[in-house]
Amino acid sequence: MKKLLILGAGTAGTMVANRMSRLLDLDEWQITIVDQHATHYYQPGFLFIPFRMYSKNDVIKPKRDFIPAGVELIMSPIDVIEPEHQRVKLVKDNRVLNYDFLIIATGTQTHPDQTAGLHEHEWYKSIYDFYTIEGAVALAKHLRTWPGGRMVVNVVENPIKCPVAPLEFLMLADWFFHEQGIRDRVEIIYATPLPGAFTKPIASRHLGDILDRKGVKIVPEFLVEHVDPDAKKIVSYDEQEIEYDLLVSVPLNMGSDVIARSGLGNELNYVPVDKHTFLSPQHGNIFVLGDAAAIPTSKAGSVAHFAVDCWSENFLRHIDGLEMLPTFDGHANCFIESGFGKGLLIDFNYDVEPLPGRFPLPGIGPFALLQETEMNHWGKMMFRWMYWNLLLKGQELPLPARMTMAGKWNS
Ligand SMILES: Cc1cc2nc3c(=O)[nH]c(=O)nc-3n(C[C@H](O)[C@H](O)[C@H](O)COP(=O)(O)OP(=O)(O)OC[C@H]3O[C@@H](n4cnc5c(N)ncnc54)[C@H](O)[C@@H]3O)c2cc1C
C-alpha cells in the first residue's frame, strides 16, 4: 500500500482527505490524517460572536463528522516531521507514521505572548482578541456591559489569516454600537502596520473611504513594540503612543510549532513551496496547502479551496510521473461584512488586485465587487452552510478555481 499522510484536519486537510478518498484507489492507497483537536471550528464565524450574531455553538462541529470512510483519523499532537526518513513522530504513544507522500496543512495560529504586555494580567479584562474561540466568546461577554470609550483595534504584524477580518470587525463594531445606542460614546481607532486599510491599493482606497464614512480613524504604519497594560496604551517602535479603554488585538500569526521543530519553515514557521504547485523545493514528496504555506496570497479558506481544486489534478499527474502544471494563480475571494446588513466582495490573484465589477456572472452578479450591497451580506451569511455542507466535504463549487477577468473593470 502507498501511504498518503495529511497533517492537520482543518479546512485544507479535511478537503484534501475528502478529495483524495474519491480520486485515489483505496485498494492501493492508505490515507491517514492527524490532528490534535477533536473540534472543527468555522473560523470566519468567530467575527460574529463578539456582536452576538453567532454563538459558540454556531461555529463548532466534531472533526470526525467530516472525515470520509476509508480515511484513518488519528487524534494526537504532531511532534516532528523527519523528511529524510519519510516519517512523522506523534506525541501520543510515541507513534511513528511512515509516508510516501506528505501533505502539511497545519495552518497558522495566534501568538499574543510574542508582544510584550499583551498576554499579561489585562488579557481578557481590557485586552481581547477575536481570532480564537476563547477570545471571541470573552469579548462578547465584555461588550454586553461595556459603557463605551476608546476602542483600539491593532494588527501586530502581517501576514495574518483573513487580512480583511480586522476591517470587518471595525465596521461591525460601528453597526453594533449604533444598535446599542452608544455609538456617540465610542471612538474607534484602527492601528495597522500597513500604509492604509488593506494590502492592495485599489481595495485599500475603497475600504479606507468606507471606514472614514463610518467614523473609524486609521493610524497607518503603526508597528507595535509593546503594550502597557496598566497605562492602557500601545507603543510603537518609533515611540508613537495610542491610549485605549478597550484593546482588540490581532496578535502575531505564526505557522505551527511542529514546522519549527522540523526545521522546515521560515522565520514565521511558514513552509516555502512552489507558489503554483505547492511542492516543497527540497522534498519531492511534500506538499503544503492552506495557511501553512509561505506563498504571496491571502491566508484564507477560499484560497485553500481553490488551491485544493488545482492541486488535486496536479497530484494525480505527479504520482503518475507526469510534470505538474502551474495551475494555481493565487486566487482569493472574500466577502467583507460591512455592517447594517451589507457587505462587499473582493476577488483577486497573484497578479490582479481586487477590482470593481460583478461576480460570478459577468455583468449580472448577483454579487458586486468592491461595492457595499445587501446581496453580498447574504453571500457571507450563506457561506457557513456552504462551508459545512459542500466545501469541507471537498465538493465542487460552481466557482472557477482560477481567477477570471470577465465581469471586472478597471477604475
Ligand atoms: C476571525 C477569522 C475570520 C476569517 N474569515 C474568513 C473569511 O471570511 N473567508 C475565508 O476564506 N477565510 C477566513 N478565515 C481564514 C480561514 O479560517 C483559514 O484561512 C483556514 O481555516 C485555513 O485552513 P488551514 O487548513 O490552512 O488551517 P486550519 O483550518 O487552521 O487547520 C489547521 C489544523 O492543524 C492542526 N494542527 C496544527 N499544528 C498541529 C500539531 N502540532 N499537531 C496536531 N495538529 C496540529 C490544528 O489543530 C488545525 O486543526 C478567517 C479566520 C479567522 C480567524
Side-chain angles (χ1 to χ4, degrees):
M1 291 283 268
K2 279 173 275 183
K3 291 185 172 139
L4 175 65
L5 177 58
I6 306 165
L7 303 183
T11 311
T14 305
M15 285 192 286
V16 170
N18 279 285
R19 274 294 166 86
M20 286 302 121
S21 73
R22 283 203 294 275
L23 294 173
L24 295 177
D25 181 349
L26 296 185
D27 290 332
E28 289 179 16
W29 285 83
Q30 182 188 329
I31 307 177
T32 304
I33 185 164
V34 187
D35 204 292
Q36 58 200 338
H37 299 306
T39 302
H40 190 112
Y41 295 102
Y42 173 60
Q43 297 177 48
F46 293 175
L47 171 73
F48 297 119
I49 292 176
F51 309 113
R52 303 204 292 275
M53 295 166 73
Y54 283 0
S55 70
K56 183 176 174 180
N57 290 338
D58 291 322
V59 301
I60 58 174
K61 287 190 193 286
K63 280 203 163 99
R64 193 166 287 282
D65 289 1
F66 297 93
I67 305 304
V71 173
E72 183 190 15
L73 170 65
I74 300 175
M75 303 306 324
S76 167
I78 301 153
D79 181 18
V80 69
I81 304 164
E82 296 179 337
E84 63 283 8
H85 300 296
Q86 296 195 193
R87 71 184 181 201
V88 170
K89 289 186 175 162
L90 305 186
V91 172
K92 198 172 163 194
D93 304 328
N94 295 321
R95 207 167 152 183
V96 176
L97 303 175
N98 298 309
Y99 61 80
D100 294 294
F101 291 94
L102 182 71
I103 314 300
I104 300 177
T106 43
T108 177
Q109 292 81 35
T110 52
H111 287 261
D113 51 307
Q114 293 291 312
T115 304
L118 188 60
H119 199 231
E120 294 178 3
H121 52 282
E122 281 296 311
W123 186 245
Y124 293 176
K125 290 192 180 124
S126 59
I127 306 176
Y128 292 84
D129 77 297
F130 66 98
Y131 265 54
T132 59
I133 189 71
E134 296 80 15
V137 169
L139 182 53
K141 194 167 169 213
H142 188 74
L143 287 180
R144 262 180 199 280
T145 54
W146 192 55
R150 179 185 280 183
M151 183 181 79
V152 174
V153 177
N154 173 236
V155 172
V156 168
E157 195 178 318
N158 286 300
I160 56 170
K161 55 182 151 186
C162 196
V164 293
L167 307 179
E168 297 182 279
F169 184 91
L170 291 159
M171 296 189 280
L172 280 175
D174 166 63
W175 161 80
F176 178 78
F177 295 132
H178 267 110
E179 290 287 301
Q180 301 295 300
I182 62 166
R183 182 64 182 95
D184 57 339
R185 280 187 267 144
V186 179
E187 190 187 355
I188 306 178
I189 296 183
Y190 182 39
T192 168
L194 294 173
F198 191 55
T199 44
K200 318 265 176 168
I202 295 178
S204 184
R205 206 173 59 230
H206 277 261
L207 292 163
D209 287 350
I210 295 174
L211 288 176
D212 194 41
R213 283 202 300 277
K214 290 179 186 291
V216 175
K217 183 181 168 209
I218 301 184
V219 181
E221 294 175 349
F222 188 95
L223 284 159
V224 68
E225 194 271 324
H226 75 273
V227 178
D228 185 336
D230 296 317
K232 290 195 169 36
K233 60 185 182 189
I234 55 175
V235 182
S236 68
Y237 283 95
D238 59 0
E239 291 173 10
Q240 291 181 70
E241 296 186 353
I242 306 176
E243 293 185 351
Y244 61 82
D245 297 299
L246 170 60
L247 175 63
V248 179
S249 171
V250 178
L252 183 68
N253 281 217
M254 290 176 79
S256 176
D257 293 346
V258 68
I259 303 300
R261 283 195 294 275
S262 311
L264 286 171
N266 61 18
E267 67 291 351
L268 288 173
N269 299 348
Y270 299 122
V271 189
V273 283
D274 181 285
K275 68 177 187 174
H276 301 295
T277 64
F278 309 101
L279 184 65
S280 157
Q282 275 86 39
H283 308 286
N285 59 353
I286 298 184
F287 293 88
V288 185
L289 287 159
D291 295 348
I295 51 172
T297 186
S298 289
K299 297 193 180 299
S302 68
V303 173
H305 166 237
F306 297 134
V308 171
D309 269 358
C310 295
W311 170 83
S312 301
E313 179 56 30
N314 260 332
F315 183 64
L316 298 182
R317 292 177 67 87
H318 190 62
I319 59 179
D320 282 344
L322 298 172
E323 198 179 327
M324 290 190 289
L325 303 172
T327 33
F328 183 67
D329 63 353
H331 191 189
N333 179 281
C334 304
F335 285 107
I336 306 174
E337 189 66 11
S338 62
F340 298 92
K342 291 195 176 166
L344 296 93
L345 178 65
I346 52 175
D347 191 63
F348 57 102
N349 69 10
Y350 289 137
D351 304 315
V352 179
E353 64 171 310
L355 296 170
R358 291 279 181 276
F359 184 90
L361 299 176
I364 299 171
F367 303 116
L369 295 169
L370 268 183
Q371 244 183 348
E372 267 191 293
T373 67
E374 285 178 17
M375 186 54 87
N376 289 342
H377 160 73
W378 289 115
K380 176 100 185 177
M381 300 320 276
M382 256 162 41
F383 193 72
R384 181 170 53 132
W385 184 91
M386 291 185 40
Y387 184 84
W388 293 128
N389 294 289
L390 302 176
L391 204 120
L392 271 191
K393 294 178 181 168
Q395 306 283 353
E396 304 276 343
L397 299 189
L399 295 176
R402 289 166 64 78
M403 201 208 75
T404 159
M405 280 305 287
K408 295 188 172 65
W409 57 81
N410 278 296
S411 76

